Amino acid sequence: FHKQLTAVRELSKLLVRISDISLETDDAVGSARAKEADVHHTLRWLQDRGILEVILRSNFHHKQYVDQVANVMLFLVRMDALRDEHLENIWAVIEAPEQHDSVKTTTLGLLITLAWHLSDAQLNALFARLQAGGRRFVDPNELVKVLQLDADVQQDGHEFMKLLLGLLERAL
């Protein structure tokens, strides 16, 4: 575990550094292109080596590991590189029937962290997973009661997301 945590922590540091470098302003157009190329090269390197799939497969029972994974995923979001399969890999941790509740809790915490930064399409997919996941996770009628929503009034998606995420955060 410690080796994997160290590896994810170092990956997180690397991505922060690359992100900082890519955000620096420079007058030289060629230098800006080189910085952008570095970011894209790093993203391609992560994908080609299957690193993201590896870090999304294990150790979700350790909060400190999940926190480092969150940093990596937030980098992907900032670079517009978080793909549906990444979210599917995270969701698979929750759906695994043999998963302990503590793993599901830390994984839901990761999704809450990411949810504030996801695109509308990714949020819709996440809500669809919650709904399709059956009653094992969320009973929509209970959710309506808990959030004190008027079932006859259509809710604004953004406001609903804030209410739902607030509820999930209080539950954790």
Side-chain angles (χ1 to χ4, degrees):
F1 162 73
H2 293 291
K3 288 180 183 180
Q4 287 181 324
L5 176 60
T6 301
V8 173
R9 190 175 287 142
E10 290 302 315
L11 175 61
S12 180
K13 288 179 189 177
L14 171 73
L15 296 177
V16 166
R17 185 164 180 198
I18 289 171
S19 179
D20 289 345
I21 290 171
S22 71
L23 295 176
E24 290 176 0
T25 58
D26 196 47
D27 291 336
V29 174
S31 180
R33 286 187 187 142
K35 290 174 187 175
E36 185 177 330
D38 286 345
V39 170
H40 291 296
H41 176 74
T42 302
L43 292 171
R44 195 169 40 256
W45 176 80
L46 289 170
Q47 181 180 351
D48 291 348
R49 303 233 173 1
I51 292 171
L52 298 172
E53 289 75 18
V54 170
I55 68 171
L56 292 174
R57 262 197 307 234
S58 62
N59 294 312
F60 273 67
H61 55 286
H62 292 285
K63 174 117 174 58
Q64 56 192 7
Y65 182 85
V66 174
D67 290 343
Q68 294 303 315
V69 170
N71 292 335
V72 173
M73 295 295 108
L74 287 171
F75 172 81
L76 294 177
V77 169
R78 281 192 307 274
M79 298 301 143
D80 198 29
L82 184 70
R83 298 190 322 247
D84 290 340
E85 58 250 28
H86 300 138
L87 291 173
E88 289 170 12
N89 288 341
I90 295 169
W91 191 256
V93 173
I94 295 170
E95 284 191 327
E98 71 281 355
Q99 280 303 4
H100 192 272
D101 286 344
S102 66
V103 173
K104 292 179 182 184
T105 300
T106 57
T107 306
L108 284 171
L110 171 61
L111 288 172
I112 289 169
T113 299
L114 294 176
W116 293 102
H117 307 282
L118 297 177
S119 69
D120 288 342
Q122 290 168 328
L123 277 175
N124 287 338
L126 184 58
F127 285 131
R129 285 184 184 101
L130 280 168
Q131 187 175 19
R135 307 233 186 263
R136 293 178 297 162
F137 301 109
V138 176
D139 178 1
N141 294 320
E142 288 300 313
L143 184 62
V144 168
K145 289 178 192 173
V146 170
L147 293 176
Q148 300 173 348
L149 299 174
D150 183 354
D152 297 326
V153 177
Q154 183 168 345
Q155 299 291 320
D156 173 66
H158 186 51
E159 182 63 28
F160 177 76
M161 181 186 75
K162 287 188 341 189
L163 289 170
L164 177 62
L165 292 176
L167 173 69
L168 290 173
E169 286 175 337
R170 286 191 303 275
L172 296 176

